[in-house]
Amino acid sequence: MALSIGIVGLPNVGKSTIFNALTRAQNAESANYPFCTIEPNKAIVPVPDKRIEDLSKIVNPERVMYSTVEFVDIAGLVKGAASGEGLGNKFLGNIRETSAILHVVRCFEDEDVIHVDGNINPARDAEVIETELVLADMQSVEKAVTRYEKIARGGDRQAKTILEAAKILIPHLDEGKPAISVDEHDSDGMQTLFNELHLITNKRFIYCANVDEDGLGEDNQQVKELREYANNKGFDVVKISAKIEEEMVNMPDDERLEFLKDFGADGSGLDVVVKKSFDTLNLASYFTAGVKEVRAWTFEKGWTAPKCAGVIHTDFEKGFIRAEVIAYEEFIKHQGEAGAKSAGVMRLEGKEYIVADGDVMHFRFAT
């Protein structure tokens, strides 16, 4: 399952530095001037999951495969981007292709690092970006109205449904509110409109507070302001020091943890960013565990066993017979599949079974 997170923010807030650290490679140029990123950089990042390590200790497989998240580093937006200012609409298009938004906001003072507006104000900076995204969505909806009005005159029912939804959404956007908070958000008409237009503000946001070394421990005032702003919108804040994380790129995991403790941090902000990105889209992992491979497979919470089987191969879903299921905790407790079977904790589940996060599964299917 594809999961793509767009990294957005004002120019010079640390997006590319975070991207470099996320990918554990210096392949996104990072410099102290606006619009350093000209084309979006993309990278696949594994989702940290200790359960993979625990399963591997028991099974001793030839290889392990984690669930993954694709991060897209998009050029910095500025006020007026929806009207073509800065690098403008080109990069708004890149954002539309992503599944969720990681909004990086600068929460540190440094005279040597230029701020496009001259001073640090997290709530204002976040609002500048989000206003541009709302304006871009407004343009998309207005263009759609013009297009669907012509189609609706021919009696097309779907076009009429989309137009009715647009009449509700346009005044909502005009008030500066994101599409995700509109009334009747889950109605068939509104969902059809969203599917047609891929509106940016209908995506889930994660705010990333980029702090300096001193900000890794107790929240500074700027982080507190960003948390209040995000809380009012119903979204989460992850705190990270992009500079520190980039310095740790080549460190072994044990050294990284010790290094972070010196700054008052319990762990890597990057790991939290990846996990939070995964959770934000209501995703989970089930596992297959054999001598050739221990692997995490991504699925959406609430999926049935056949649909989850289809993540491996469509033939698994089409010919699904049953699933052999062992809860992760039971697999670990009884030291593997054989022990779980002997203890009577392996279950046979049918087509109606809702897969749980952490299930260790083996599918039976007809060819």
Side-chain angles (χ1 to χ4, degrees), residues 64-127:
V64 297
M65 297 287 288
Y66 291 78
S67 292
T68 59
V69 178
E70 179 184 67
F71 283 91
V72 183
D73 179 24
I74 296 166
L77 300 173
V78 294
K79 187 174 182 179
S83 302
E85 292 295 326
L87 294 175
N89 286 315
K90 176 181 178 182
F91 295 98
L92 293 175
N94 294 135
I95 301 171
R96 291 191 195 284
E97 298 170 5
T98 61
S99 307
I101 306 293
L102 180 69
H103 187 169
V104 180
V105 182
R106 179 172 165 180
C107 292
F108 65 91
E109 299 281 356
D110 188 337
E111 293 181 357
D112 294 329
V113 180
I114 302 165
H115 189 287
V116 292
D117 286 326
N119 66 313
I120 310 300
N121 185 323
R124 177 206 62 202
D125 293 351
E127 194 166 2

Side-chain angles (χ1 to χ4, degrees), residues 324 326 334 336-346 364:
E324 298 173 358
I326 305 170
H334 298 289
E337 182 177 324
K341 285 181 178 179
S342 296
V345 295
M346 187 186 81
R364 300 293 183 183

Side-chain angles (χ1 to χ4, degrees), residues 21 34 41 60 92 167 171 184 254 273 352 357 362:
N41 297 286
N60 193 27
L92 293 175
K167 289 178 181 178
E184 301 185 35
D254 55 346
V273 166
E352 303 303 316
D357 182 40
H362 181 73

